[in-house]
Amino acid sequence: MARRPAQPDDRTGVAHLIDLFNATVPPVHRRGLPFVAAPAAIALLGRRHPWLARSAAAAAAASALFFRHPSRVPPVGAGLVVAPADGAVALVDKAVPHPELGLGDQPLPRVCIFLSIFDVHVQRVPAAGRVVSIEHKPGEFLSADLPEASTANERTSMTIATGPDGTGPQVGVVQIAGLLARRIVNDASVGDELVLGDTYGLIRFGSRVDVYLPAGSVPKVSVGQRAVGAETVLADLT
């Protein structure tokens, strides 16, 4: 049986303070550690030069903020599709999915989430199931909040077959680079069994994530709503 993570009330003294800090301050995603460590080292080595140390320390703090990786608790229930990222719901519409998703050529319900540079930038698994396909497409770097960014920008598309045996309805999730983004990371592999809400990827810096739902699905979010990755329910497929 998996051990429950230590909670602030489990221990006392200094250990309690450490647990409280870890529960309050999000850790940094491992992909962001070099971006934090490099300026932090410069700040340490340049401590005799205040202007250099302060600038480097500010860069390290900004990187730690951007690459933060907070803990999230997904809702419980079969057939749920959750937000794959934090951000503002930019579009709720129907659109023909990208060909690489393999979801057909008819318009499907789509929810688009725009991540500003201040949002958490890790991506979460939107639906539990098996990875059917992953494909990266090079492209432009238009502002991610523009409608045309969905098709014009660099992107990585992943299709998930839902259900415990991977035979349920398929959900498509697309990581889209933005105006400042130059790197899309997807750590999943074809055939992986994904758990709802687990972290699977990251985009640097400023981006968008689109979710294509099965035909007949009714999105449970509205344009302008703030989505919380792994927690906000986008649809119920049951």
Side-chain angles (χ1 to χ4, degrees):
M1 180 181 295
R3 183 182 183 275
R4 180 174 64 88
Q7 299 297 309
D9 292 334
D10 287 346
R11 302 190 291 179
T12 59
V14 175
H16 168 76
L17 295 178
I18 293 174
D19 289 341
L20 185 61
F21 178 86
N22 290 335
T24 305
V25 179
V28 174
H29 189 277
R30 61 185 179 83
R31 299 276 186 174
L33 292 176
F35 294 87
V36 178
I42 293 173
L44 180 62
L45 295 174
R47 59 187 179 278
R48 295 181 181 275
H49 305 280
W51 64 270
L52 175 62
R54 290 169 185 164
S55 298
S63 295
L65 179 65
F66 180 86
F67 288 105
R68 64 194 185 278
H69 188 190
S71 176
R72 294 288 164 76
V73 181
V76 177
L80 294 179
V81 180
V82 299
D86 288 23
V89 177
L91 286 172
V92 178
D93 62 3
K94 286 188 176 182
V96 176
H98 301 296
E100 65 267 23
L101 287 169
L103 297 177
D105 58 2
Q106 297 302 306
L108 295 177
R110 179 180 66 168
V111 176
C112 305
I113 298 174
F114 172 71
L115 296 73
S116 78
I117 196 170
F118 301 106
D119 285 312
V120 174
H121 271 65
V122 298
Q123 277 78 64
R124 316 276 180 162
V125 175
R130 181 178 301 156
V131 178
V132 175
S133 66
I134 300 175
E135 187 168 339
H136 180 79
K137 292 283 188 181
E140 300 180 50
F141 296 95
L142 304 176
S143 180
D145 59 343
L146 297 174
E148 55 266 34
S150 179
T151 54
N153 281 20
E154 182 164 330
R155 64 183 186 266
T156 297
S157 303
M158 180 168 69
T159 304
I160 302 171
T162 63
D165 54 359
T167 59
Q170 294 188 348
V171 172
V173 57
V174 185
Q175 298 166 285
I176 301 172
L179 188 63
L180 300 177
R182 290 297 184 270
R183 176 67 168 151
I184 298 175
V185 175
N186 185 322
D187 291 322
S189 299
V190 173
D192 283 355
E193 296 288 345
L194 302 182
V195 177
L196 185 73
D198 277 2
T199 300
Y200 80 90
L202 174 73
I203 312 176
R204 315 193 296 253
F205 294 91
S207 45
R208 173 172 149 184
V209 183
D210 292 356
V211 177
Y212 290 87
L213 302 167
S217 301
V218 179
K220 294 181 176 294
V221 292
S222 302
V223 172
Q225 181 177 338
R226 290 290 302 176
V228 178
E231 296 186 353
T232 300
V233 175
L234 301 185
D236 188 343
L237 305 184
T238 56

